[in-house]
Amino acid sequence: MRRLATYLPVFEWGSQYTRQSFYNDGLAAVIVTVMLIPQSLAYAMLAGLPPVVGLYASILPLVAYAIFGTSRTLAVGPVAVVSLLTATAAGAVAPPGSERYIAAAIALATLSGLMLLAMGIFRLGFVANLLSHPVISGFITASGILIAASQLRHILGIDAGGHNLLELAASLGGNIGNTNVPTLLIGALATGFLFWSRSSLKPLLERIGLPTGAAAMLARTGPVLAIVVSILTVILLGLEERGVSVVGDIPQGLPNLSLPLFDAALWRDLLPAAFLISVIGFVESVSVAQTLAAKRRQSIRPDQELIGLGVSNLASAFSGGYPVTGGFARSVVNFDAGAETPAAGAFTAIGIALASLFLTPLLKHLPTAVLAATIIVAVLSLVDLGTLRRTLRYSPFDFAAMLGTILVTLAIGVEAGIITGVGLSLLLHLWRSARPHVAEIGQVPGTRHYRNILRHDVACSETVLSLRIDESLWFGNARAVEDIIQRAVAERPNLRHLVLNLVAVNSIDASALESLELIIHRLADQKIDLHLSEVKGPVMDRLARSALIDDLTGDIFLSHHEAMAKLAPEVTDSADRSQMPEIDASRPSPERPVRQTR
């Protein structure tokens, strides 16, 4: 059973399921269902799909994740950023609203599912590490602005569009004169109410005497209340005849199970976008899952999460849905509502299925402006421009990657933005790694510690130079290390020994090894011995398989203090030196190295 639970986590938590767990999961499912119904409809509209597709993507994927996922509280389903990516990718291969467009969205779910499943089987979750946190943060912030701007056309009741902020702004400005006043009133009131319900409805309910839990639950029904009131308003005032756009007929019933359309040319065109959706969805999902799991001292298995999300996306594709992942807001609500196991997701799927069977006829007169307001309120909570200032203060390099991601996403589009962010992150990492920090160090008086001479008052020797290399050595920075050492040696005419402190070096590649060999010979020509100190065990193991050990003109010391005590005893602290064990006179001379591991 334990081995089976490794691949099917449902057996792990299912074997410990209790009546109390059922009650807690059921209550959480009711709350999440109320929240998910309007979100599913809204995010499908954001993806350029019929609203019912959002409901389809919120049924079987939740059941699949409950079986294969490892997070106890992650709520899977349509999310804003993935919906935007879906709209961008599908819109590049087919006109929005066409049958081919819907087929493209389903194909994206299929490809994403297969990619995530393959990554999980082959344990390739590390691919997501290519997206640094500043890049993800910048992308989500820019996407939130872009999504909110794209929904303004529904709030205004005009025709407008565009793939980036510049196109959207130009299109909105050019059609602003065609604003439908009733639509604007509905959209503006719905947006204001949803913002107010998020921040002020719960405190108001608590002030009138409701318990905190009940107040929180009722506060989350704000979108449902906005939907009900707007539908009644449209019907009673006959606003459809005055140009207010509504959702229209929504097919009633459960999704039909079918195999996604296989179109080799279509799938080939969608592959890059499907990969981006897979990686971004996985990063967002795992970040939320790990955060919530830590609060309960639980854990998740990232590779199994890949499998869970992969199967969920395949389930969405087979039931006529589009790509899904774990949503931040829904997962937090699920967590706060007391969900104990992934069964809460399965119960939520039952609730969405019942809504698809019985409630869809009631949504015929739902104004699209209200769905747009739901999207705007949801995505603006993701926008965090303050992180730019915080990141700049801490790391200009990460700030450059974040700012580049935001600007390119807004100016060109989402795919170009995320590619730019990844590219900038990698280039800046390579640039920093190619410019290694090398510090001259000296002894802090009265201690055995050695620190940067530019930061501390330390003791040094004219005949011994100590340099600490603060990067692993590889072909990208080997030449820079050569140049730094050569300049430092040239400035010291009385130098006789150079000690390289390798405490921060985790690896030395073949190119760097050749550079060290060259440094040894150059220093030998100048009658300077090269010593190494504090070499890590794995690095020492590799050096032992090379010729460098035999060519080394100095020793390899276990600690830097030991090196200085032997090579420059006149500058080491006398009290500290008296506590050291005597150095064995039989040890090899500087011409022969001492092999040590650490």
Side-chain angles (χ1 to χ4, degrees), residues 296-440:
R296 292 184 180 175
R297 298 191 178 183
Q298 297 170 346
S299 63
I300 66 168
R301 302 199 304 272
D303 289 324
Q304 183 62 34
E305 283 296 291
L306 283 166
I307 294 175
L309 292 174
V311 176
S312 296
N313 276 277
L314 290 176
S316 182
F318 293 153
S319 56
Y322 70 105
V324 297
T325 192
F328 176 76
R330 287 195 304 273
S331 298
V332 171
V333 169
N334 197 38
F335 179 90
D336 291 341
E340 290 189 11
T341 72
F347 297 155
T348 300
I350 295 174
I352 300 296
L354 292 174
S356 299
L357 285 171
F358 303 111
L359 297 183
T360 50
L362 304 177
L363 300 173
K364 177 180 179 180
H365 302 285
L366 172 63
T368 54
V370 174
L371 292 181
T374 302
I375 294 173
I376 290 173
V377 173
V379 299
L380 287 184
S381 65
L382 304 176
V383 176
D384 183 10
L385 295 176
T387 191
L388 281 169
R389 182 180 66 258
R390 296 190 297 271
T391 304
L392 175 61
R393 188 186 307 122
Y394 181 76
S395 172
F397 296 100
D398 289 332
F399 169 79
M402 178 183 289
L403 183 62
T405 302
I406 292 175
L407 293 179
V408 173
T409 300
L410 294 178
I412 299 178
V414 289
E415 292 183 355
I418 196 66
I419 292 172
T420 298
V422 173
L424 281 174
S425 293
L426 293 176
L427 286 174
L428 290 171
H429 173 72
L430 292 174
W431 187 81
R432 282 182 292 184
S433 297
R435 299 165 61 89
H437 181 261
V438 179
E440 180 180 351

Side-chain angles (χ1 to χ4, degrees), residues 25-44:
D25 288 342
L27 178 60
V30 170
I31 297 173
V32 174
T33 299
V34 170
M35 179 182 186
L36 185 53
I37 290 173
Q39 279 194 351
S40 297
L41 298 171
Y43 290 152

Side-chain angles (χ1 to χ4, degrees), residues 558-582:
L558 187 63
S559 72
H560 198 82
H561 187 75
E562 181 184 352
M564 295 304 295
K566 179 176 181 179
L567 302 175
E570 70 279 2
V571 298
T572 56
D573 183 81
S574 58
D576 179 68
R577 184 159 28 97
S578 66
Q579 300 172 8
M580 291 187 58
E582 294 185 3

Side-chain angles (χ1 to χ4, degrees), residues 66-87:
I67 298 172
F68 292 93
T70 62
S71 171
R72 300 296 180 97
T73 55
L74 187 70
V76 172
V79 299
V81 173
V82 171
S83 297
L84 177 63
L85 289 170
T86 299

Side-chain angles (χ1 to χ4, degrees), residues 53-62 64-65 75-79 82-83 86 105 108-110 112-113 116 277-278 280-282 284-285 308-317 319 321-327 330:
V53 175
L55 295 177
Y56 293 166
S58 304
I59 301 176
L60 285 187
L62 280 68
Y65 184 82
V76 172
V79 299
V82 171
S83 297
T86 299
L108 282 170
T110 307
S112 296
L116 289 166
I277 289 172
S278 301
I280 292 172
F282 173 64
E284 180 178 355
S285 180
L309 292 174
V311 176
S312 296
N313 276 277
L314 290 176
S316 182
S319 56
Y322 70 105
V324 297
T325 192
R330 287 195 304 273

